[in-house]
Amino acid sequence: MEKRKGKVLVIDYKWCVCDMDGTLLNSKDIISEENEAALKKLQKIGLEVIIASGRVDLLMKSFIKQLDLKGHIICCNGGLIKNIETGEILYSKVMDKGAVREIIAYSLENNINFLMYTTDTVYSNKNNPKAEKYENLNKSLTKDLQIPIKYIDNIIIENIDTIDIFKILLVCDNHEIVKVSEKYFSKFDNLTSVSSVSGLLDIMASNTCKGNGLKILSEKLDVDLSKVIAFGDNYNDMEMFQCVGMPIAMENAVEDIKLQAKYVTKANDESGIAYAINNYILQD
């Protein structure tokens, strides 16, 4: 046990890895003051706080700034790993172009809204409420934090083979459509699909998951995964929970994630990350 000012780390952890939606963010898409303060406390005593999200970093710029993160970020469920400060891509796995065409065709045919994530742009079908939400958010953000959104048209679809896509998010009207879509795309050997939030389906290149992303980053930076804390709530956090030393599930997590956790903390709407840091990770 290593002594620090004011608090003691129960174990000398190296990283604290946080999922975003349903975990670090509350239901209003906000990082609470309590979560912010607790994570900055960990940074102050030497831990690197890492976001591991299904989102691309373009959708997380304001949160990265709020937490003053300068290290690494795992995006698109492990399909893209970047150095925040330099912008260097440490790892990426691009989706197969033919599969991307199939997903676009399937989505348009079945009237399913979708977003496609690249390094510099979030592409959306037209009249997508999720994209419109980001457009509205942009109005309140400074230019450097705004999300670059483009709506696909026939020209973009015709030239889709020239675009490197790391993830396609299907935004379904209900979870039954998620299940049907997940079953449909499970027959593609070159794709991985997983539900991240009810009504959403993440589709990436094969063997893409946060757990693999975390393993790749740990090997590159020589960090022992037994010295890693991870917070999560949904199925796309499963492999990450299975490879770290301290997996902590949110109270609002799906049951399968809770079963993989060492602790279950309070819900995301109750600043569960802060509660866990102050009660399970740090001691007076």
Side-chain angles (χ1 to χ4, degrees):
M1 195 180 287
E2 184 173 342
K3 298 206 170 184
R4 315 273 188 175
K5 284 185 182 175
K7 287 276 189 176
V8 176
L9 271 170
V10 179
I11 298 176
D12 194 13
Y13 293 104
K14 303 297 182 187
W15 292 347
C16 177
V17 183
C18 299
D19 165 54
M20 288 287 290
D21 297 279
T23 301
L24 178 57
L25 301 181
N26 61 23
S27 54
K28 294 180 180 176
D29 256 9
I30 290 168
I31 299 175
S32 70
E33 290 180 8
E34 292 84 358
N35 280 348
E36 179 184 343
L39 289 169
K40 285 182 174 176
K41 197 185 299 180
L42 290 187
Q43 289 173 277
K44 197 171 181 181
I45 61 174
L47 278 79
E48 181 177 339
V49 172
I50 298 173
I51 290 173
S53 176
R55 300 188 187 202
V56 70
D57 57 316
L58 301 172
L59 297 174
M60 299 187 279
K61 289 189 281 188
S62 59
F63 304 121
I64 291 167
K65 183 178 180 181
Q66 181 181 351
L67 295 177
D68 196 26
L69 302 182
K70 293 184 169 63
H72 303 87
I73 189 163
I74 299 171
C75 315
C76 303
N77 288 326
L80 179 65
I81 303 174
K82 294 178 74 174
N83 180 301
I84 292 169
E85 236 175 352
T86 66
E88 177 194 1
I89 294 175
L90 280 75
Y91 172 82
S92 65
K93 191 166 188 181
V94 174
M95 295 178 68
D96 176 81
K97 312 296 186 187
V100 167
R101 287 182 177 280
E102 287 261 10
I103 297 165
I104 293 172
Y106 174 91
S107 301
L108 294 174
E109 189 178 318
N110 291 282
N111 295 312
I112 297 173
N113 292 310
F114 62 92
L115 299 174
M116 303 190 299
Y117 298 160
T118 72
T119 52
D120 56 11
T121 306
V122 173
Y123 291 89
S124 171
N125 64 299
K126 292 171 182 172
N127 303 313
N128 182 345
K130 203 161 187 69
E132 289 167 5
K133 174 186 162 188
Y134 292 138
E135 293 263 37
N136 289 329
L137 181 62
N138 279 345
K139 294 172 186 174
S140 64
L141 296 173
T142 55
K143 189 157 187 176
D144 60 314
L145 297 179
Q146 287 177 359
I147 299 158
I149 297 172
K150 280 186 185 175
Y151 291 93
I152 65 164
D153 53 23
N154 289 335
I155 294 170
I156 290 173
I157 291 173
E158 284 169 17
N159 291 283
I160 205 73
D161 288 357
T162 66
I163 302 172
D164 286 341
I165 296 166
F166 301 102
K167 191 187 102 167
I168 298 179
L169 175 71
L170 301 193
V171 185
C172 306
D173 291 335
N174 58 65
H175 209 66
E176 282 308 307
I177 298 172
V178 170
K179 289 178 183 175
V180 170
S181 301
E182 188 170 14
K183 185 177 180 182
Y184 178 81
F185 289 111
S186 67
K187 66 185 180 185
F188 289 75
D189 292 337
N190 54 3
L191 294 177
T192 295
S193 58
V194 64
S195 177
S196 55
V197 177
S198 182
L200 302 182
L201 184 67
D202 298 349
I203 308 177
M204 297 81 55
S206 58
N207 300 315
T208 300
C209 65
K210 292 182 188 179
N212 282 348
L214 201 51
K215 286 174 186 174
I216 289 163
L217 186 60
S218 71
E219 287 165 8
K220 285 183 180 292
L221 302 179
D222 194 26
V223 170
D224 181 353
L225 285 174
S226 70
K227 300 294 180 72
V228 174
I229 305 157
F231 289 95
D233 75 306
N234 222 308
Y235 293 105
N236 64 334
D237 300 314
M238 183 67 75
E239 292 87 354
M240 180 170 74
F241 268 35
Q242 290 168 344
C243 72
V244 301
M246 177 71 81
I248 302 176
M250 312 305 292
E251 178 55 45
N252 53 285
V254 296
E255 198 59 35
D256 287 343
I257 286 293
K258 289 181 180 179
L259 291 172
Q260 292 289 332
K262 187 164 185 178
Y263 295 107
V264 176
T265 186
K266 291 185 177 181
N268 63 320
D269 281 336
E270 299 176 286
S271 300
I273 285 180
Y275 182 84
I277 288 169
N278 290 319
N279 289 276
Y280 311 145
I281 311 303
L282 299 175
Q283 291 183 347
D284 289 313

